[in-house]
Every structure is written in structure tokens, then in C-alpha cells.
Amino acid sequence: MIPPSFDYTRPSSVEEAVRALSEGGEDAKVLAGGQSLLPLLRLRLAFPELVVDVGRVPGLTGVREEGETLVVGALTTHHDVIRDPLVRRHAGLLAAATAGVGDPAVRHRGTVGGSLAHADPAGDLPAVVLALDAELIATGPGGRRAIPAREFFVDYLQTALEPDELLVEIRIPKADGWGFHYEKFHRVAQSWAIVGVAALVRRDDGHIAEARVGLTNMGSTPLRASATEEALTGSADGPAVARAAESAADGTQPSRDLSGSPEYRAHLARVLTRRAVLTAAGMG
């Protein structure tokens, strides 16, 4: 299908991009890798009057360290995130989950910032940055501001970004020494997750000292399975993990569609949480 007509601009700096977004207001859309926006345009599910192409804005790609924090530029592609040695060493969960995004063509073009700003609850990365306790950095006319991941995702395809703000980087506390695993259930390799679980586990003296569990596609936003996280503390074996995983779907509101009912998704959340935590904890 042919997209509706729109004006197009390609800024050469963050400042120019912010200015264009400010002038365009709510009728402007950001184009990064294009893997989220272009399908919406082709299907006429989005009708922007202005598309702001930030794909060549300098300074928004790459990964660097700042003390105990890993900083990922918003325009860093999935392909580069997967292969970056700093990500592999300090945020392995991000690399592992990103490796399952789409197909190779999508991973070479799509960007981590674009995926997060799109805020699809069926996307893999939103639940991952929740589990990693990341901060998302936005730049607007008033300067930079940090948005905790738990406050970034507001509703279905909606974030805390203002219309004149641009997501510029993701700041992730290093998770050295934590076990991790991303488990998702989908019909074919390139499809969205029917349900996904991002698990981070820190063990001490044979017991789980701390756990974080992010849920994909269990509501209108990514979610943390807080009841399960609490129940996992002190767990030392598979049966204890299985008992904690039984509360993974508590407080969630999964949707009903052709891929499954809410009850089916709740069942998947419990099963996948058990699998993900056991693997992350080295008990699988």
C-alpha cells in the first residue's frame, strides 16, 4: 500500500531534530531505522504531516562506559548491540534478547532507540530495559532529562516522551555477576512474541539473592513480575523457583487476539518465567 503524503526533513544535529519536532508538534514522527514507522505508513496506520529522519544525526550511535553505567546510543543498530563486547560483558541480557528481534535484515536496519520509542508491548526490548533498571535520556527544547524505564512506557505505543523530545541514549547499570536469560514463545522465528520473559538473577551462597523479571506482551506496556521477584528471594532449587513463577501473571492484563486468550498468555507467563529464571540462575 502507498503511504499518505508527508513533508520530510533530515536534520544534521540533535538540535536541528528537536527544532523540527517542536515545529511539527504532534503531527511529526521520528524516523530512525524505519523498521517500526515504515510498516505503519504503508498500512496507513500513521498519518504524520512531517517525518524527521534522524538516521544520520552524529553522536547517537555506539556503546561506551561511564563508571558503573553502560551508555548505548539510541541509533545503535540491533546488529551492533548484539556484537558489542561491552554489551556482552556488562548487559548480556540486552545482547541475548536483541539477537531474537525480527530477522537479519531488521537487525541491520532497526535501532535500539527506535524499538523502545515505538513502545510496542509485544516488542522484546522494552521488557529487557525494565529488568535492567535502565534510564532513557531524552533531549528537548529545555535540554536533557532522564526517564526511568519503569516510567517511560505509558500505554500501548505511548511513552513519556514529549512531542518535541528525541530519545538520544539508554543508560544501563552494569549487571556483572548476574545470570540472565530471555525466553519467548512465538509461532515463527520472525514474529512478535506471544509472551516473553526477561530474567536477571544474582545468586549468593547457592541461593537467589535478587531477581528481576520483565514481561513482554502481558499488558498494554511491558511489566515487571514483582510478586515473583519477591518470592524468588532465597530460592535454592527448582521447586522453589516453580512456586515463585506461579505468581508471574499476577496483576497483568494480557490481551485477547488470534494468537491466544488472556488465560493462555497467563499460563505462558508462568511457564516461561520458570524456564527463564532457572536458566539465568544456572539451575536449568
Side-chain angles (χ1 to χ4, degrees):
M1 188 177 290
I2 300 173
S5 61
F6 52 80
D7 292 328
Y8 172 88
T9 184
R10 178 182 284 174
S12 57
S13 68
V14 171
E15 292 74 22
E16 286 185 21
V18 169
R19 186 159 54 249
L21 291 172
S22 182
E23 293 171 356
E26 294 187 357
D27 294 320
K29 291 289 185 183
V30 174
L31 173 67
Q35 302 306 296
S36 299
L37 180 60
L38 292 182
L40 294 179
L41 293 176
R42 287 198 296 267
L43 293 171
R44 296 208 170 201
L45 296 175
F47 298 86
E49 293 187 5
L50 173 67
V51 170
V52 181
D53 184 350
V54 300
R56 297 187 182 179
V57 172
L60 298 184
T61 60
V63 181
R64 68 181 189 275
E65 293 178 276
E66 288 187 5
E68 293 303 309
T69 300
L70 204 61
V71 183
V72 181
L75 291 185
T76 306
T77 64
H78 302 312
H79 174 270
D80 289 343
V81 165
I82 296 165
R83 286 158 178 77
D84 189 275
L86 290 175
V87 175
R88 286 175 171 269
R89 186 179 311 130
H90 303 298
L93 177 62
L94 178 61
T98 304
V101 172
D103 55 29
V106 168
R107 294 193 289 271
H108 275 81
R109 291 288 302 170
T111 65
V112 60
S115 178
L116 296 174
H118 184 52
D120 191 328
D124 300 304
L125 301 190
V128 169
V129 297
L130 267 184
L132 288 167
D133 277 343
E135 279 190 335
L136 294 94
I137 308 301
T139 295
R144 289 165 59 98
R145 71 181 179 112
I147 310 169
R150 62 183 178 276
E151 299 175 7
F152 185 79
F153 304 102
V154 176
D155 205 342
Y156 182 72
L157 302 184
Q158 296 179 33
T159 72
L161 288 171
E162 298 293 339
D164 55 2
E165 286 185 318
L166 180 68
L167 179 62
V168 294
E169 64 187 34
I170 300 92
R171 301 178 66 86
I172 302 170
K174 292 179 180 178
D176 298 0
W178 290 65
F180 61 86
H181 187 67
Y182 185 69
E183 185 89 20
K184 70 175 177 178
F185 187 83
H186 48 178
R187 290 178 295 174
V188 296
Q190 291 84 16
S191 67
W192 298 101
I194 297 175
V195 174
V197 176
L200 271 174
V201 174
R202 181 174 61 84
R203 295 185 71 184
D204 183 28
D205 194 26
H207 295 73
I208 294 177
E210 187 176 356
R212 302 179 197 158
V213 179
L215 301 176
T216 296
N217 214 6
M218 286 297 291
S220 61
T221 66
L223 301 167
R224 287 273 290 268
S226 55
T228 291
E229 291 176 347
E230 293 179 11
L232 283 170
T233 302
S235 298
D237 54 29
V241 170
R243 288 192 295 272
E246 284 300 306
S247 58
D250 290 3
T252 65
Q253 293 182 314
S255 62
R256 179 186 299 276
D257 56 28
L258 294 177
S259 295
S261 66
E263 295 78 15
Y264 178 58
R265 284 192 163 91
H267 167 71
L268 285 177
R270 293 189 288 269
V271 172
L272 299 183
T273 296
R274 176 177 55 82
R275 293 177 184 175
V277 172
L278 286 173
T279 303
M283 300 177 182

